[in-house]
Amino acid sequence: MQQDERTADIVVVGGGMVGLSSAIALKDSGLDVVLCDPGEARARTSYGNAGVVSRGSIFPMSSPALWGKLPAYLRNADAGLRLRHLHLLRVMPWAAHFLASARTSAWRRAAAALAPLTDAAFPEHRRLADRAGVPHLLRESGWVKLYRTEEAFAGAALEREILAHHGVPFEIFDGPAIQALEPALIRPFARAMLLPETGAVGDPGGLVEASEKLFAGLGGRILPTTVSRLEPEAEGWRVVHPGGTVRARQVVLATGAAANELSRPLGYRFAFAAERGYHRHYALLPGSPALTRPIYDTGAASILSPMGEGRVRVLSGVEVADRHAEPDYRQIEAAAKEAAGTVRLGQPLDNRPWLGSRPSTPDGLPVIGPAPRHKGLIFAFGHGHIGLSTGPITGRLVADLATGRTPQVPVAAFAPGRLLGWPRP
């Protein structure tokens, strides 16, 4: 069979929100861009996102509160985290440094690094949605964090202090004001925190698909394939896929939780873990008030997000497991049971829950920057829970790095080299 041979200025590997946004921004910069992605929409982590685009998304999962919860986490007695114990040996380097990051000083540093990125997230999303012809998919509705007890609210004081320090506005509600804020709620909550400067994407998968069409309309080339390996050459890179190769001066690796599979043969071993997450769509019972914005029930460690046409997306906490492991639906089933006590959920609208893997770094910061030992290779992965949210601004940063411009947002804290001295997985 004849092999497909192509050339380009730059190849983007990965077609989620980070990869697509990078491809669009690189095309805007006048480069000939090939995007390699299998084209399986439901397989992209961006597809399954809660759709929250918030200035307040500046906190890594590894927090100072982890130590108090660790015994429950290890027993799988907390809804926020489920461990596949047989898989823990595979993520021990990540786990060790994840625990080391659960300090107040590390949390503050991470928030300071992420704040400029999340500040720019909504404006870039608005720009992308407008250009892609789907402005209706993005609205600035705010989102709400709900606390079932006063003790839980008091336990989040450090979070509120850090938000205030970085100028992220929030409002606190209690009693009947919570019900007035979100009439769909049927469960009593002690406190609620509204973060008003937050966008909600009503169909994350639809936004990704519209962005793909925008890229193609700009003259970008899409190669619907997986990539087998990246081979450095004297004048650039050879991107090898099952059907042939693409030669380019530069490559952007934006494959999320799968990034290690292509970076390890080049000598880069990142202490990654797959933060797996599940969701399922439900209808609201007839006559129920609509859910007007995403809500995070901290007591259940799950998010409920309106997805249009009367659908509510229920999202579980995190499952730490090999990303290829078989699904375990117990976590999303428990989240759905709790959600049914929070809003008037009807029947599920999906045959089975969706499952995806977020790329998790131990310090909770993405990897954005040039590969330390290979010219022309740019890393853009590891965004954890904020890949959809910060995808468009990350794309602009990737284009800046590829063309020699000063990045619009400081990226030193996201440099790949910060992770390379850690023990190997």
Side-chain angles (χ1 to χ4, degrees):
M1 188 172 99
Q2 186 173 1
Q3 293 286 291
D4 181 57
E5 304 287 342
R6 306 189 188 200
T7 60
D9 292 328
I10 190 165
V11 176
V12 178
V13 185
M17 184 53 74
V18 171
L20 272 169
S21 299
S22 299
I24 291 168
L26 291 162
K27 192 65 186 166
D28 288 341
S29 299
L31 298 179
D32 179 23
V33 185
V34 168
L35 174 69
C36 294
D37 185 82
E40 301 168 7
R42 282 182 61 90
R44 296 166 178 160
T45 305
S46 302
Y47 174 92
N49 197 276
V52 175
V53 183
S54 179
R55 283 189 63 199
S57 297
I58 58 175
F59 299 106
M61 194 174 74
S62 181
S63 77
L66 182 145
W67 296 105
K69 296 181 178 182
L70 190 58
Y73 284 157
L74 292 174
R75 301 193 315 270
N76 281 332
D78 189 295
L81 180 67
R82 183 170 184 80
L83 302 175
R84 294 280 192 96
H85 293 100
L86 292 177
H87 299 167
L88 287 183
L89 284 177
R90 304 180 192 181
V91 296
M92 284 307 294
W94 169 86
H97 292 278
F98 182 84
L99 291 171
S101 297
R103 308 186 314 276
T104 298
S105 57
W107 222 42
R108 290 185 185 277
R109 284 197 303 272
L114 288 170
L117 194 69
T118 61
D119 281 352
F122 185 81
E124 285 299 321
H125 258 283
R126 172 55 66 201
R127 180 173 174 269
L128 177 63
D130 288 347
R131 292 183 67 195
V134 288
H136 61 283
L137 293 183
L138 181 65
R139 54 194 179 87
E140 194 168 10
S141 61
W143 86 303
V144 176
K145 299 187 75 169
L146 297 162
Y147 302 89
R148 297 187 180 187
T149 66
E150 288 291 345
E151 291 78 11
F153 177 73
L158 178 61
E159 177 183 342
R160 295 190 294 277
E161 177 199 323
I162 294 174
L163 289 172
H165 176 76
H166 290 288
V168 179
F170 58 86
E171 303 171 43
I172 304 300
F173 297 80
D174 59 13
I178 298 175
Q179 181 72 34
L181 174 67
E182 193 53 69
L185 296 176
I186 58 174
R187 185 193 300 275
F189 288 93
R191 297 289 187 111
M193 179 172 68
L194 170 69
L195 290 101
E197 293 188 3
T198 298
V201 180
D203 180 0
L207 179 60
V208 171
E209 290 173 5
S211 301
E212 192 172 62
K213 291 178 183 177
L214 171 63
F215 172 65
L218 293 171
R221 291 181 285 162
I222 299 174
L223 198 57
T225 185
T226 57
V227 169
S228 306
R229 61 187 184 275
L230 305 175
E231 297 179 350
E233 297 184 321
E235 299 300 322
W237 289 86
R238 184 170 178 260
V239 179
V240 182
H241 58 87
T245 60
V246 186
R247 281 187 162 87
R249 294 197 303 273
Q250 297 184 84
V251 171
V252 177
L253 183 59
T255 51
N260 261 341
E261 295 172 13
L262 290 174
S263 63
R264 279 186 181 181
L266 297 170
Y268 300 101
R269 291 179 173 266
F270 297 101
F272 256 27
E275 288 184 23
R276 305 204 326 167
Y278 299 80
H279 82 227
R280 198 171 194 183
H281 295 110
Y282 291 81
L284 291 174
L285 291 176
S288 301
L291 188 64
T292 62
R293 56 177 65 84
I295 59 173
Y296 176 37
D297 179 355
T298 60
S302 61
I303 295 175
L304 285 71
S305 189
M307 288 287 147
E309 300 178 354
R311 293 182 304 153
V312 172
R313 177 174 289 182
V314 178
L315 301 102
S316 71
V318 168
E319 179 189 54
V320 176
D322 186 277
R323 72 185 191 92
H324 299 295
E326 289 297 313
D328 181 344
Y329 295 127
R330 284 177 289 179
Q331 195 177 25
I332 186 62
E333 288 167 354
K337 184 177 180 180
E338 290 287 341
T342 298
V343 299
R344 298 188 185 279
L345 282 190
Q347 295 298 311
L349 301 176
D350 308 317
N351 292 330
R352 66 181 186 278
W354 175 90
L355 168 62
S357 295
R358 310 175 190 96
S360 175
T361 59
D363 58 7
L365 302 180
V367 177
I368 306 173
R373 297 190 294 270
H374 290 85
K375 182 179 179 181
L377 176 60
I378 298 172
F379 292 138
F381 50 79
H383 292 68
H385 294 252
I386 58 172
L388 179 84
S389 173
T390 59
I393 182 58
T394 298
R396 295 287 292 271
L397 299 177
V398 166
D400 289 340
L401 292 167
T403 56
R405 300 189 298 258
T406 300
Q408 299 178 36
V409 170
V411 296
F414 311 139
R418 78 184 196 276
L419 302 180
L420 294 179
W422 294 2
R424 294 186 172 187

